Amino acid sequence: MHLETKLVQAGVGRDTITGAVSFPVYYATAYRHPSLGQSTGYDYTRTANPTRKVLEEAIAEAECGDAGFACASGMAAIHTVMGLFSQGDHLIVSLDLYGGTYRLFEQVLSRYGLQFSYVDLRDLQAFAGAIRPETKAVLIETPTNPLMQITDIACVAGIAKRSGLLIIVDNTFMTPYYQRPLELGADLVLHSGTKYLGGHNDVLAGLIVTKGAELSEKVRFLHNSIGATLGPQDCWLLVRGMKTLALRMERHQSNALQVARELREHPAVTDVFYPGLDDHPGYEIQSKQATGYSGMVSFRVRFSAQVGPFLENLRIISFAESLGGVESLCTYPATQTHADIPQKIREYVGVCDRLLRLSVGVEHPDDLIHDLTQALDASLVAEGCRR
């Protein structure tokens, strides 16, 4: 079956007692044993839950992996995966990185003895040079958040495997509809299910997909032991969202491309970052390793003084911190998603005080473009933006 069909059919036919097309939400935390030494396959809901199992099997199949694990948030998923490593272990991580991941690494996990190096993974020589004897893994964001930098997953994986490194890819921006890292050499895929997979700004979730029996069992142990598992109601919401993933991603992408082209022409904008533009530095790699470009667009305005008036004048697009839902959102990374990254590092990477990030929703593109245009026009005439 095609991926679109697999997603729509998640859970269908699984409730053999009632025939419910929408798989039920199982709230039970405990399950009766038929007799001593026997189990129905469900003992305690942290270890396994029927609703969660439908979700975990659906994401594993979508990513062409061997096992899926549903966590309480995207950060819970990353933290669970970090349980694979021990004191003194070193990881190489994408330089342009989501601020929440950076915060977890630098303010929490570094206190437990894990070490992290932030490398521009577009530079394969720099990546190879950063590998140490104690290096155990590479964590790739591609496209990166928020500058939409593209990493060649297969090339990085080739170098990593020669050194015995685990290859982890955050696939949140692309989803398995457009990109399947396990097929490109990755060992493990991460998702903030809160974003495109859920798709409606109404559920907090994280997902892990593993390749190989040994790695799958290690993550299964950590998932159960750490216990940051996803509750059954949220599992049901995420399955429901994933059923329309294909339809939504096509509209997100179509709208994003139109928005990116319009932003390039506006006098208030200096830079536009969208991997679906043919002059984007990573366009060829993205076109090779994925079947699409998703719905995230970042851009810089001419003056930092424009940011406030621009955000205040948006009427359809919401100034809010998230992405991937049907509603369009605009984020200011400097004070929101990347606020915990020190300013010097943030600006070195390129996340300056003129950068804005758009999660382009599924509204009519003409309405989104009109909203952006009028807000940008207003920002230009605001005091402090004149020359």
Side-chain angles (χ1 to χ4, degrees), residues 354-376:
R354 297 184 294 115
L355 185 73
L356 292 152
R357 190 193 72 187
L358 282 174
S359 174
V360 183
V362 301
E363 301 93 343
H364 195 286
D366 292 350
D367 295 328
L368 295 177
I369 290 167
H370 179 267
D371 195 31
L372 288 167
T373 300
Q374 62 84 24
L376 286 168

Side-chain angles (χ1 to χ4, degrees), residues 336-355:
Q336 292 181 302
T337 56
H338 290 65
D340 285 310
I341 297 179
Q343 183 177 357
K344 185 176 180 181
I345 295 174
R346 189 166 38 77
E347 291 182 349
Y348 170 76
V349 173
V351 184
C352 66
D353 59 2
R354 297 184 294 115
L355 185 73

Side-chain angles (χ1 to χ4, degrees), residues 75 79 97-116 118 337-343 345:
M75 296 312 304
H79 201 168
L97 185 71
Y98 167 54
T101 307
Y102 180 91
R103 177 178 58 218
L104 174 66
F105 289 173
E106 294 301 315
Q107 297 185 31
V108 180
L109 296 180
S110 62
R111 294 190 286 109
Y112 294 91
L114 294 185
Q115 305 170 62
F116 303 92
Y118 302 91
T337 56
H338 290 65
D340 285 310
I341 297 179
Q343 183 177 357
I345 295 174

Side-chain angles (χ1 to χ4, degrees), residues 187-312:
D187 300 298
L188 190 151
V189 171
L190 293 165
H191 286 278
S192 173
T194 312
K195 311 305 192 297
Y196 284 115
L197 294 177
H200 293 81
N201 291 319
D202 60 5
V203 61
L204 180 69
L207 294 168
I208 304 165
V209 181
T210 50
K211 185 177 181 180
E214 184 179 355
L215 179 60
S216 298
E217 285 309 309
K218 287 179 179 179
V219 174
R220 194 182 313 280
F221 171 81
L222 291 167
H223 189 230
N224 181 52
S225 299
I226 293 170
T229 54
L230 191 62
Q233 178 67 40
D234 289 336
C235 288
W236 184 88
L237 284 169
L238 197 48
V239 170
R240 185 182 66 171
M242 287 167 59
K243 286 175 180 283
T244 61
L245 180 68
L247 298 172
R248 290 185 286 103
M249 293 308 292
E250 291 288 351
R251 184 59 177 259
H252 284 301
Q253 176 173 274
S254 172
N255 281 359
L257 182 57
Q258 294 179 68
V259 163
R261 286 170 173 165
E262 291 293 330
L263 286 172
R264 280 200 305 191
E265 303 303 318
H266 199 284
V269 175
T270 61
D271 306 284
V272 177
F273 306 94
Y274 180 62
L277 294 172
D278 57 13
D279 59 353
H280 185 282
Y283 175 78
E284 290 187 8
I285 294 173
Q286 183 67 15
S287 300
K288 176 187 71 173
Q289 70 183 12
T291 58
Y293 311 95
S294 198
M296 299 301 300
V297 179
S298 292
F299 64 99
R300 291 193 183 106
V301 291
R302 291 193 176 278
F303 314 107
S304 59
Q306 289 176 249
V307 171
F310 169 75
L311 294 171
E312 291 161 11

